[in-house]
Amino acid sequence: HRHLLGIEPLRPDEITTLLDLADQYAALNRRRDKHAQALAGLTQINMFFENSTRTQASFELAGKRLGADVMNMSMQASSIKKGETLIDTALTLNAMHPDLLVVRHPHSGAVDLLAQKVHCAVLNAGDGRHEHPTQALLDALTIRRAKGRLHRLTIAICGDVAHSRVARSNLLLLHKMENRIRLVGPATLMPAGIDEFGAEVYQDMREGLKDADVVMMLRLQKERMDGGFIPSEREYYHRYGLDAEKLSFAKDDAIVMHPGPMNRGVEIDGTIADDINRSVIQDQVEMGVAVRMAAMDLLSRNLRARPTEVVT
Ligand code: CP
């Protein structure tokens, strides 16, 4: 692949190859000297048109640990604010010969469009409600390390599925790897036609969590509920917030996940989020760096395989 725009085009064996490499980078990241040379001589530009803590920080660290020259564009201070279009911005940066462009954008499809206009490899760091592929890959690695496998698990994805690119990418990946997927949440927060992805849909959280191996919570994304139904936080927590009582319906060794940022007391009880016997939320963050190192390493191998342009 030239780009990483989504989980959709990836084959199961390609996902496994990436996770195997990420496992090696996870070991490197626990050493004092964390440097490798996979991206030496390459230039990585991070363009985040939407807020981010985890994704931006981990892409930056991943690039630096692999020896790339990393530049973080401050989109707040860029000429986008003066009316320059996304495509003009992309063409401008393309003229500076980057090798890897990491892009987050509030509109679904914006990153795909941008990828068609530039010569470098593009990594989707989240586009609207569409995809967040590196999030699904880091979630997959976290599950595989905690459970010892990434197939034939019962995985409950709970909450605001309708507005979640994290849910969409996870659904695609976990389905490809032959897991049983349950989507749990109010009908108002389920996208139309979701059953075509091969998931079971539950409105009752206790039923949805019954005997689950993995409980993946999602953030209530009020910023994407443009004019639509917004549930009250109290009511939502009562019915869909993960607390000890609801979690008791899952398997005794079920793990609890959340991509962050978390709304404690809305979709998850703070005590559950901090329970190191159940919660793998910090492992997800750790695996985020490793997975992004692996993704950029693999894309850079394709870049290096292409004929070098002669600069005169
Ligand atoms: N999970 C995730 O994408 O977090 P950020 O928005 O902080 O990058």
Side-chain angles (χ1 to χ4, degrees), residues 51-56 104 132 135 259-261:
N51 293 347
S52 170
T53 298
R54 282 144 285 268
T55 313
Q56 178 156 12
R104 169 171 288 190
H132 192 351
Q135 179 71 46

Side-chain angles (χ1 to χ4, degrees), residues 48 50-58 104 125-126 132 134-135 138-139 165-166 219 224 258-261 284-285 292:
F48 281 67
E50 212 182 53
N51 293 347
S52 170
T53 298
R54 282 144 285 268
T55 313
Q56 178 156 12
S58 58
R104 169 171 288 190
H132 192 351
T134 54
Q135 179 71 46
L138 76 86
D139 288 340
R165 56 196 176 208
V166 174
R219 182 171 66 86
R224 295 195 209 284
H258 193 302
Q284 289 173 267
V285 178
R292 287 164 181 134

Side-chain angles (χ1 to χ4, degrees), residues 3-15:
H3 306 295
L4 177 59
L5 299 175
I7 296 297
E8 204 146 21
L10 301 184
R11 295 192 312 265
D13 64 297
E14 292 173 327
I15 292 169

